[in-house]
Amino acid sequence: MTSFFLSEALQQSQTRHLEDLIEWLKIPSVSSDTSKIGEVKQAAKWIADKLKDAGLSVETIPTQGHALVYAETPEVANGPTVLVYGHYDVQPAEPLELWTSGAFEPTIRDGNLYARGATDDKGQVLTHVQSVCEWLASGKPLPLQIKFLIEGEEEVGSANLERMLPELADKLACDCVVISDSSQYADGQPAITYGLRGIATYELKVQGPSKDLHSGSFGGAVMNPAIALCHLMSSMVDDQGRIQIRGFYDDVRELSAEERAAWKQLSPNDDEFARSAGAKELFGEKGYTADERRWARPTFDINGLTSGHQGEGVKTVLPAHASAKFSFRLVPDQDPQTITSALRSHLEANLPKGVTMDLKPDHGAPGMLADTESVYMDAAKAAIESAFGKPPVLIREGGSIPIVTKFQETLKCDCLLLGWGLSDDNAHSPDEKFRIDDYYRGIAASAVLWEAMGTLQPVDPFAEGAELPSKLW
Amino acid sequence: MTSFFLSEALQQSQTRHLEDLIEWLKIPSVSSDTSKIGEVKQAAKWIADKLKDAGLSVETIPTQGHALVYAETPEVANGPTVLVYGHYDVQPAEPLELWTSGAFEPTIRDGNLYARGATDDKGQVLTHVQSVCEWLASGKPLPLQIKFLIEGEEEVGSANLERMLPELADKLACDCVVISDSSQYADGQPAITYGLRGIATYELKVQGPSKDLHSGSFGGAVMNPAIALCHLMSSMVDDQGRIQIRGFYDDVRELSAEERAAWKQLSPNDDEFARSAGAKELFGEKGYTADERRWARPTFDINGLTSGHQGEGVKTVLPAHASAKFSFRLVPDQDPQTITSALRSHLEANLPKGVTMDLKPDHGAPGMLADTESVYMDAAKAAIESAFGKPPVLIREGGSIPIVTKFQETLKCDCLLLGWGLSDDNAHSPDEKFRIDDYYRGIAASAVLWEAMGTLQPVDPFAEGAELPSKLW
């Protein structure tokens, strides 16, 4: 489709759009770090001010944790209402020494902007904020109502937003939620993500003797908690990553033949994918392609291990305790609570004698699937094609956006996951980046999307009150 | 036996003896910490000055690492020569927050002196230095020649001393080596240690992707090095601590029936031992008592684990690498080199695909057994009984003093391990301590030992060139 916003209208503003992002990225809004509360607040204020200055009515909604930034444009008679969701918090930047330039000193190299949060999610959510700003500055009437909900706890599980969602339901009422917190399928191949994996995260602490002991005097007579922890972690998966917890796969929704066929059409390049991961070879569950394993199969990962002497040199201690941070990625129909109780039984049954364990579940969320045939999906396909010059493919994503399922359930609305990033953007890793051209294309696609959606009448894909869209290819 | 040194001669000096130890313990001579080189040097100078002031001829012998402090009293015609070995370096003090008082701020509580190195080994080696100082101050002629070799790398494997031992053989020539770096059997039950376990220490690094990855986007398709490490560590031992490496037990010297019978006579108290370890229950190889397992059976311990996110909160990464520091305690006839190659084969055979490994052996030493029927042993028994008011029992120790076997081989001399410490002195742990009365009793026993040994003619238990004393009960 053609659009005013595909003319030079946006190009003239690109420098300012980039400056805005750089300014926001300089704020280290690490939500999991209690020493960064001030910075997180500062990042919230930055985006709130940006929306205020553009003329939206803005509200900062306090939570038990980091605040929600809410903003809206005026209601449009007979026009749909879209809720744009994103987050202003970021992952920790550690290990800092692996960053080529400072994690919070945004730096441009080879057409990319490097900084923690560049793609996840400041850069991506800002595309929608910028597009709305451009609409309001253009003098053209915005053909729909846009609401923004930008939170500060996505990287720590969105627990507070989830808890408050029912009471916020009226305020957030919409026909469709738009989220840009995912990736294109490949360089030059835009995508719409219609499925996400769920997640369940934990910390397990194994307690041995009350203090570190001399491994000579006590080794062989006192159980070593680090060995116990390795036995437990090792018991969780086999050598192809299949989880060994009884009942773990009971509720897994299997992939449909159509889906598997469609994904094969994407002609994935495993070597290229391995290269982007910096892995010498791929690995995983037999009988599934790499895309199937990371998009639609549950997996187990250890995220961190800590025990005993980690400093320089040798210290022959028998450590007092050992701990692991680990997480499962879940798929549709798996319930985090059910997984947690199965996990607890597994660990208790396998706990070596002589030590005790303490399992702390952190956050959990089920997987998500969106309707691939809604009118909003069609509008998004057209908008993306016009801005990226290529029609998007439909994919799933291995990551989790815990709040998305809650939106579907509580707001009874459709969800569009429009990823502007790339799979090698290093989200959650050192040298996180966002390609500057993708940032600009995202802004254009977003601006055109409002135009396309404006022509639609409000519809309710959940009219029959279905829990999840059933009609999926 | 009676002795001038059992009179009040020593008691008058106790305050000064304690002040000396406190002064020495204030120096954080952590040999494994390259940032502490100055402090290690300072601790060497402290003991060298102490010996100089007492009138010994002292020499500081440089090595590729930390220096050796050597000192000697004049030769005595027809009197034996005894070499006292000890070390002025200490283990790292971490975790510092678990110390009741500063690790390098010696503090007296309930008759104990608390500080890193209090018992291992500054406090114990100082008993012999003090006893010789008292002899030289007493005006009585010292009836034998005493040599001191006090090194600064015992806690990191004594590699440099070991390398230099052949060239130092003439200087160190002696009839017997005396070492106090072990423990009494129990509170009120002194002991002579006639056996030590050997040791082999390693660091294993498992390398996965080139950088930390998002566990959602890559989990299930890229092998997690922390999981690979847990698989490898778990494959090393079964649930009773039996090492699973092929051939690991081939050279293990089994316990003799006499030895096992004698140890049963010690009526060990497993509950009391578990309490001293702060363990809820004991554990280990079936068919062996706790003493047998820690004194005479080989064992495997993980000393440290490191991977991924160890900070606060959740970070759902698939880490780039994971590493473990671990060690084996060996028994007589096991060879560290043989163990290392068996270990390497085991790890390579069990390494999961998708990751690479790097195994770095650190230090290694075989186990040791001493002659339990030498004239020096008899002299030590008498001296200890006179100072501690009870005859010592003969035991082995689970720890390792790598250099002892080298002394036996190179100097062809006998070895006496006279432990003044207690098994709950927290060597290598927070709140390391040394009971002040044991310090004083050690000084007295040492002073009397020189008197008892002075009456002996030099003998050579290795005259027939035997490698290790064979006649052991």
Side-chain angles (χ1 to χ4, degrees):
Chain A
M1 61 191 288
T2 62
S3 162
F4 162 76
F5 293 101
L6 295 174
S7 70
E8 287 171 357
L10 291 180
Q11 283 157 41
Q12 289 151 6
S13 326
Q14 288 182 341
T15 317
R16 185 166 34 76
H17 293 163
L18 185 58
E19 288 165 354
D20 285 342
L21 178 54
I22 288 172
E23 203 179 302
W24 201 18
L25 289 171
K26 284 181 178 168
I27 307 169
S29 48
V30 181
S31 51
S32 64
D33 183 345
T34 48
S35 74
K36 293 273 188 296
I37 290 176
E39 289 82 350
V40 176
K41 191 174 259 142
Q42 192 189 344
K45 183 178 185 309
W46 187 94
I47 193 63
D49 291 346
K50 170 81 182 163
L51 290 159
K52 249 189 232 99
D53 298 346
L56 287 83
S57 67
V58 180
E59 190 183 343
T60 299
I61 303 170
T63 75
Q64 287 175 33
H66 301 303
L68 305 166
V69 174
Y70 175 78
E72 61 180 27
T73 60
E75 203 165 337
V76 173
N78 303 324
T81 297
V82 169
L83 173 68
V84 174
Y85 164 83
H87 60 96
Y88 62 82
D89 65 320
V90 300
Q91 280 273 316
E94 287 75 13
L96 299 175
E97 65 278 12
L98 297 188
W99 285 76
T100 307
S101 48
F104 299 106
E105 295 151 15
T107 306
I108 297 172
R109 286 193 301 277
D110 318 326
N112 296 303
L113 181 58
Y114 288 84
R116 170 59 83 229
T119 187
D120 178 14
D121 178 49
K122 287 173 175 169
Q124 294 206 66
V125 68
L126 194 55
T127 60
H128 300 296
V129 173
Q130 298 286 19
S131 74
V132 170
C133 294
E134 291 296 331
W135 264 95
L136 298 179
S138 70
K140 295 161 57 69
L142 191 59
L144 74 176
Q145 180 183 33
I146 308 265
K147 298 176 174 179
F148 284 99
L149 179 68
I150 305 177
E151 73 153 314
E153 300 186 314
E154 194 274 345
E155 299 294 3
V156 290
S158 306
N160 287 310
L161 171 54
E162 197 174 303
R163 193 169 28 248
M164 293 165 70
L165 207 49
E167 70 197 65
L168 293 172
D170 292 343
K171 182 190 293 289
L172 302 179
C174 62
D175 301 293
C176 178
V177 176
V178 169
I179 302 173
S180 291
D181 197 10
S182 47
S183 297
Q184 302 179 57
Y185 178 66
D187 192 348
Q189 178 53 70
I192 295 177
T193 301
Y194 68 93
L196 295 169
R197 288 199 290 186
I199 190 169
T201 69
Y202 306 87
E203 178 156 12
L204 175 68
K205 183 173 182 184
V206 176
Q207 179 68 48
S210 57
K211 56 183 185 288
D212 287 359
L213 298 174
H214 187 300
S215 69
S217 310
F218 295 91
V222 174
M223 183 65 196
N224 182 312
I227 294 176
L229 181 72
C230 288
H231 280 321
L232 288 172
M233 290 296 104
S234 182
S235 75
M236 304 274 282
V237 282
D238 67 11
D239 58 6
Q240 52 171 293
R242 267 196 73 90
I243 290 133
Q244 302 298 298
I245 297 170
R246 183 188 309 280
F248 186 88
Y249 290 90
D250 289 357
D251 301 329
V252 168
R253 189 189 297 190
E254 290 300 332
L255 276 153
S256 72
E258 296 84 343
E259 241 173 333
R260 302 187 75 166
W263 292 356
K264 289 223 170 40
Q265 298 301 315
L266 301 174
S267 58
N269 181 334
D270 282 3
D271 297 342
E272 169 57 24
F273 179 72
R275 191 202 55 70
S276 77
K280 74 188 239 280
E281 62 184 323
L282 296 184
F283 132 102
E285 212 179 352
K286 288 199 177 41
Y288 296 92
T289 67
D291 282 346
E292 288 167 349
R293 295 198 300 265
R294 61 202 191 94
W295 291 350
R297 297 295 300 170
T299 49
F300 165 74
D301 274 292
I302 294 177
N303 310 120
L305 289 174
T306 308
S307 184
H309 181 57
Q310 304 191 23
E312 191 190 358
V314 170
K315 188 182 179 195
T316 53
V317 287
L318 194 166
H321 46 75
S323 61
K325 297 184 185 221
F326 62 92
S327 53
F328 296 107
R329 295 288 172 169
L330 308 176
V331 298
D333 300 348
Q334 281 187 299
D335 167 47
Q337 276 66 36
T338 313
I339 294 300
T340 296
S341 40
L343 167 67
R344 193 177 291 282
S345 314
H346 176 86
L347 293 174
E348 282 164 356
N350 287 276
L351 184 70
K353 66 184 290 254
V355 295
T356 57
M357 59 166 249
D358 177 24
L359 177 69
K360 279 201 178 17
D362 197 293
H363 65 276
M368 164 270 186
L369 283 175
D371 183 351
T372 56
E373 302 192 332
S374 73
V375 289
Y376 303 106
M377 190 66 82
D378 298 336
K381 287 177 186 168
I384 289 172
E385 177 168 7
S386 63
F388 283 79
K390 195 168 181 185
V393 291
L394 292 181
I395 62 173
R396 290 210 219 169
E397 150 67 30
S400 317
I401 310 177
I403 204 64
V404 174
T405 352
K406 293 293 166 189
F407 284 143
Q408 289 183 316
E409 291 165 14
T410 312
L411 306 181
K412 299 266 179 275
C413 65
D414 207 348
C415 276
L416 284 180
L417 303 179
L418 313 178
W420 314 139
L422 292 174
S423 62
D424 67 352
D425 273 346
N426 300 331
H428 295 209
S429 304
D431 282 349
E432 177 177 349
K433 66 176 174 66
F434 191 23
R435 182 157 58 184
I436 294 166
D437 283 344
D438 286 330
Y439 174 57
Y440 295 147
R441 280 189 281 259
I443 295 170
S446 174
V448 176
L449 179 62
W450 309 144
E451 198 162 6
M453 282 185 161
T455 66
L456 305 171
Q457 290 307 306
V459 294
D460 181 0
F462 287 86
E464 282 69 53
E467 273 311 289
L468 269 178
S470 55
K471 192 163 171 317
L472 284 169
W473 56 293
Chain B
M1 62 190 291
T2 62
S3 160
F4 162 75
F5 293 101
L6 296 174
S7 71
E8 286 171 0
L10 292 180
Q11 283 155 41
Q12 289 150 9
S13 327
Q14 289 182 338
T15 318
R16 187 166 33 76
H17 292 164
L18 185 58
E19 288 164 353
D20 285 342
L21 178 54
I22 289 172
E23 204 179 302
W24 201 18
L25 289 172
K26 284 180 179 168
I27 308 170
S29 46
V30 181
S31 50
S32 65
D33 183 345
T34 48
S35 74
K36 293 273 187 297
I37 290 176
E39 289 81 351
V40 176
K41 192 175 257 141
Q42 191 189 346
K45 183 176 185 310
W46 188 94
I47 193 64
D49 291 347
K50 170 82 181 163
L51 289 158
K52 249 190 233 97
D53 298 347
L56 286 83
S57 68
V58 179
E59 188 182 345
T60 299
I61 305 170
T63 75
Q64 287 174 33
H66 302 303
L68 304 167
V69 174
Y70 174 79
E72 61 179 28
T73 60
E75 205 167 334
V76 174
N78 303 326
T81 296
V82 168
L83 174 67
V84 174
Y85 164 84
H87 60 96
Y88 62 83
D89 65 320
V90 301
Q91 280 273 315
E94 288 74 14
L96 300 175
E97 66 276 13
L98 296 188
W99 286 76
T100 308
S101 48
F104 298 105
E105 295 152 14
T107 306
I108 297 173
R109 289 193 300 276
D110 318 326
N112 295 304
L113 181 58
Y114 288 84
R116 168 60 82 227
T119 188
D120 179 15
D121 177 51
K122 286 172 175 171
Q124 295 205 66
V125 67
L126 195 55
T127 60
H128 300 296
V129 173
Q130 299 286 19
S131 76
V132 170
C133 294
E134 291 296 332
W135 264 96
L136 297 179
S138 71
K140 296 161 56 70
L142 191 60
L144 74 175
Q145 180 182 32
I146 308 266
K147 298 176 174 180
F148 284 100
L149 179 67
I150 305 177
E151 72 153 312
E153 300 186 315
E154 195 272 345
E155 299 295 3
V156 291
S158 307
N160 288 310
L161 171 54
E162 197 174 304
R163 193 168 30 249
M164 294 164 69
L165 207 49
E167 70 196 67
L168 293 171
D170 292 344
K171 184 190 291 286
L172 302 179
C174 62
D175 301 292
C176 179
V177 176
V178 170
I179 303 173
S180 291
D181 197 9
S182 48
S183 297
Q184 303 179 56
Y185 178 66
D187 192 348
Q189 178 53 71
I192 295 177
T193 301
Y194 69 92
L196 295 170
R197 287 199 291 186
I199 190 168
T201 68
Y202 305 87
E203 178 154 10
L204 175 69
K205 184 172 180 184
V206 175
Q207 179 68 49
S210 57
K211 55 183 185 291
D212 287 0
L213 298 174
H214 187 300
S215 69
S217 311
F218 296 91
V222 174
M223 183 65 197
N224 183 313
I227 294 176
L229 181 72
C230 289
H231 280 320
L232 288 173
M233 290 296 104
S234 183
S235 75
M236 304 274 282
V237 280
D238 68 10
D239 58 6
Q240 52 170 293
R242 267 196 73 91
I243 290 132
Q244 302 298 298
I245 297 170
R246 183 188 309 279
F248 185 89
Y249 289 90
D250 289 357
D251 301 330
V252 167
R253 189 190 296 191
E254 291 299 332
L255 276 153
S256 71
E258 296 84 344
E259 243 175 329
R260 302 187 75 167
W263 292 356
K264 291 224 169 39
Q265 298 302 314
L266 301 173
S267 58
N269 180 334
D270 281 4
D271 298 343
E272 169 57 23
F273 178 72
R275 191 203 53 72
S276 77
K280 73 189 239 278
E281 62 184 322
L282 296 184
F283 133 101
E285 214 179 351
K286 287 196 177 45
Y288 296 91
T289 67
D291 281 347
E292 288 167 349
R293 294 198 301 265
R294 59 202 192 94
W295 290 350
R297 297 296 299 172
T299 48
F300 165 74
D301 272 293
I302 293 176
N303 310 120
L305 289 174
T306 308
S307 184
H309 181 58
Q310 305 190 25
E312 191 189 356
V314 170
K315 189 182 177 195
T316 53
V317 288
L318 193 166
H321 46 74
S323 61
K325 296 184 185 219
F326 62 92
S327 52
F328 296 108
R329 295 289 172 167
L330 308 176
V331 298
D333 299 349
Q334 281 187 298
D335 168 47
Q337 276 66 35
T338 313
I339 295 301
T340 296
S341 39
L343 166 68
R344 193 177 291 282
S345 314
H346 176 87
L347 293 174
E348 283 163 355
N350 289 276
L351 184 69
K353 67 184 288 256
V355 294
T356 57
M357 58 165 249
D358 177 22
L359 177 69
K360 280 201 176 21
D362 197 294
H363 65 276
M368 164 268 186
L369 283 174
D371 182 353
T372 56
E373 301 193 334
S374 73
V375 290
Y376 303 106
M377 192 64 82
D378 298 337
K381 288 177 184 168
I384 290 172
E385 177 167 7
S386 64
F388 284 77
K390 193 166 183 185
V393 290
L394 292 182
I395 63 173
R396 290 209 219 171
E397 152 66 31
S400 315
I401 310 176
I403 203 63
V404 173
T405 352
K406 293 293 165 189
F407 284 142
Q408 289 181 317
E409 291 165 14
T410 312
L411 306 181
K412 299 266 177 275
C413 64
D414 206 349
C415 275
L416 283 180
L417 303 180
L418 313 179
W420 314 138
L422 292 174
S423 62
D424 67 353
D425 274 345
N426 299 332
H428 294 208
S429 305
D431 282 350
E432 178 178 349
K433 65 176 175 65
F434 191 24
R435 181 156 59 184
I436 294 167
D437 283 345
D438 286 330
Y439 174 58
Y440 295 149
R441 279 189 281 259
I443 295 170
S446 173
V448 176
L449 178 63
W450 309 143
E451 198 161 8
M453 282 185 161
T455 66
L456 305 171
Q457 290 305 306
V459 293
D460 180 0
F462 288 85
E464 280 71 53
E467 273 312 289
L468 268 178
S470 56
K471 191 163 174 317
L472 286 167
W473 56 296

